[in-house]
């Protein structure tokens, strides 16, 4: 199965301009709150209508503004699961799942119901109501109802975000197992980068209504191309930059030149360095500079240093650098100390705006 989305919607103070393709793998839509992730899902599902563009699922046009095609939601073969699972509270497990079998003949329903109940490990819970189920069981019932409709596309909108960390891990493990069995395409919406890294094979970053090209999840974290992608992937340090030559930039907020391990694009406007890529060194060297220690914070398994380059531009908060190191690597360092900080050229990430 494949999905093509190329749509635009004008909401006055917010513009949605999304273009991406997804295949049979689990594809994540990663973005901060308000970036347009859920609006994109609603447009794909047919709940919202784009102003223009196309949506094509496995060769079937769901929406095409030029050809005046706009299939109603019930004809789109899409399973859409919300954060709350949206089970009918006054219906049993069996009744909830049967609600998804609108396109299945009455004679075929009992056999399909038995197969889905077995596959989803729900046998014996047919007469239970949602309030009698655990969180994991509710999740399986919601997915069973979706699968009963035989969708070509499953869309999951922040399905784990409202759960505590222990339950979230349990349900995530269960969810991955279930999605591995699904032969179609899955869109997984989240603002949680770690969740997307574990669950999705490919990812599309969204920022202020705009989408970036779909890429492998590992590529996003190893080499994000834009500032938005870097921040969403967990990069905590960035600076405005000027390109000096092919492999050298001036980090303007930090007031230091840095050598980059990869060629610096002409349109690079920032550099980013992850907090655990900085290290302490004994003195001058490549990409080494003096910093004043602003704060020392003990975390559970590491120490977090907030430092500020002595050459930093006054008054800029982005001039502060966050460093995360093992406790033994920074033992004895106190606020007010001066330390030498270094970063390897291969760990300096040139970024477009």
């Amino acid at each position: 199965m494949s999905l093509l989305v190329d749509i635009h919607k004008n909401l006055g103070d917010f513009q949605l301009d999304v273009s991406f393709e997804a295949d049979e793998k689990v594809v994540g839509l990663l973005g901060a709150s308000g970036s347009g992730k859920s609006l994109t899902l609603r447009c794909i599902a047919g709940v919202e209508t784009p102003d223009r563009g196309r949506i094509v699922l496995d060769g079937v046009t769901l929406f095409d503004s030029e050809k005046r095609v706009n299939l109603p939601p019930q004809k789109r073969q899409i399973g859409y699961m919300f954060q709350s699972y949206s089970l009918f509270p006054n219906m049993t497990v069996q009744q909830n799942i049967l609600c998804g079998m609108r396109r299945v003949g009455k004679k075929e329903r009992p056999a399909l119901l038995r197969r889905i109940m077995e596959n989803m490990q729900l046998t014996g819970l047919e007469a239970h109501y949602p309030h009698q189920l655990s969180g994991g069981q509710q999740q399986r019932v919601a997915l069973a109802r979706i699968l009963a409709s035989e969708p070509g596309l499953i869309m999951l909108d922040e399905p784990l975000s409202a759960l505590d960390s222990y339950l979230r891990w349990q349900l995530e493990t269960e969810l991955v197992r279930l999605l591995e069995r699904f032969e179609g395409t899955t869109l997984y919406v989240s603002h949680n980068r770690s969740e997307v890294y574990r669950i999705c094979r490919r990812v599309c970053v969204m920022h202020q209504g705009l989408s970036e090209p779909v890429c492998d999840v590992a590529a996003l974290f190893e080499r994000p191309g834009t500032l938005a992608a870097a921040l969403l992937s967990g990069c905590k340090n960035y600076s405005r930059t000027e390109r000096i030559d092919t492999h050298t930039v001036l980090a303007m907020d930090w007031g230091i030149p840095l050598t980059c391990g990869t060629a610096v694009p002409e349109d690079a406007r920032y550099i980013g360095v992850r907090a655990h890529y900085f290290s302490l060194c004994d003195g001058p060297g490549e990409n080494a500079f003096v910093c004043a220690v602003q704060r020392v914070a003990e975390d559970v398994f590491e120490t977090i240093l907030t430092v500020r380059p002595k050459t930093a531009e006054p008054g800029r908060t982005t001039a502060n650098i966050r460093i995360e190191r093992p406790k033994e690597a920074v033992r004895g360092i106190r606020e007010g100390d001066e330390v030498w900080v270094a970063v390897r050229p291969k760990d300096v990430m040139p970024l477009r705006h």
Side-chain angles (χ1 to χ4, degrees), residues 126-199:
E126 291 86 349
H128 284 60
Y129 289 88
H131 74 273
Q132 297 173 306
L133 304 176
S134 68
Q137 290 168 337
Q138 289 183 32
Q139 182 190 74
R140 293 204 301 273
V141 173
L143 278 173
R145 185 174 64 186
I146 287 174
L147 293 174
S149 66
E150 299 181 336
L153 170 68
I154 289 177
M155 301 194 303
L156 307 177
D157 194 355
E158 304 266 12
L160 306 176
S161 62
L163 306 174
D164 63 67
S165 58
Y166 177 71
L167 183 57
R168 185 187 302 125
W169 178 252
Q170 288 184 309
L171 298 196
E172 179 186 312
T173 303
E174 188 94 345
L175 183 61
V176 169
R177 182 184 65 82
L178 297 173
L179 292 179
E180 286 176 348
R181 296 182 179 180
F182 180 57
E183 296 179 355
T185 300
T186 300
L187 283 185
Y188 190 95
V189 163
S190 180
H191 64 273
N192 187 314
R193 61 181 180 273
S194 299
E195 204 173 275
V196 167
Y197 188 88
R198 294 189 299 267
I199 294 175

Side-chain angles (χ1 to χ4, degrees), residues 63-64 107 112 229 259 275 288 295 311 339:
F63 174 80
D64 191 317
K107 292 183 179 180
L112 178 59
T259 301
R295 186 181 179 216
T311 51
V339 294

Side-chain angles (χ1 to χ4, degrees), residues 38-60:
S38 295
L39 177 59
T40 299
L41 293 197
R42 292 199 299 272
C43 288
I44 296 170
V47 179
E48 296 274 357
T49 302
D51 296 326
R52 63 177 182 272
R54 296 171 64 222
I55 302 172
V56 181
L57 177 62
D58 198 30
V60 177

Side-chain angles (χ1 to χ4, degrees), residues 228-293:
L231 295 177
L232 284 168
S233 67
C235 181
K236 298 181 176 67
N237 303 299
Y238 69 93
S239 168
R240 297 170 302 149
T241 188
E242 286 183 354
R243 185 177 185 272
I244 296 175
D245 58 39
T246 308
H247 286 84
T248 312
V249 297
L250 172 64
M252 297 163 63
D253 296 345
W254 302 338
I256 53 174
L258 291 174
T259 301
C260 302
T262 58
V264 180
E266 294 280 355
D267 57 351
R269 297 293 178 267
Y270 298 89
I271 56 98
V273 180
R274 299 190 186 279
H276 58 280
Y277 286 168
F278 280 111
S279 61
L280 303 186
C281 61
D282 295 330
E286 186 175 44
N287 287 356
F289 49 97
V290 180
C291 293
V293 178

Side-chain angles (χ1 to χ4, degrees), residues 107-135:
K107 292 183 179 180
E108 291 78 27
R109 290 181 184 182
L112 178 59
L113 178 64
R114 283 194 301 272
R115 186 168 72 250
I116 290 177
M117 294 289 290
E118 290 172 3
N119 289 341
M120 305 296 282
Q121 300 180 10
L122 293 170
T123 303
L125 299 175
E126 291 86 349
H128 284 60
Y129 289 88
H131 74 273
Q132 297 173 306
L133 304 176
S134 68

Side-chain angles (χ1 to χ4, degrees), residues 193-224:
R193 61 181 180 273
S194 299
E195 204 173 275
V196 167
Y197 188 88
R198 294 189 299 267
I199 294 175
C200 304
R201 299 187 189 181
R202 293 172 65 76
V203 62
C204 174
V205 169
M206 294 192 61
H207 177 64
Q208 296 180 349
L210 300 175
S211 63
E212 297 190 8
V214 175
C215 66
D216 290 337
V217 167
L220 169 67
F221 287 82
E222 291 171 6
R223 191 59 56 181

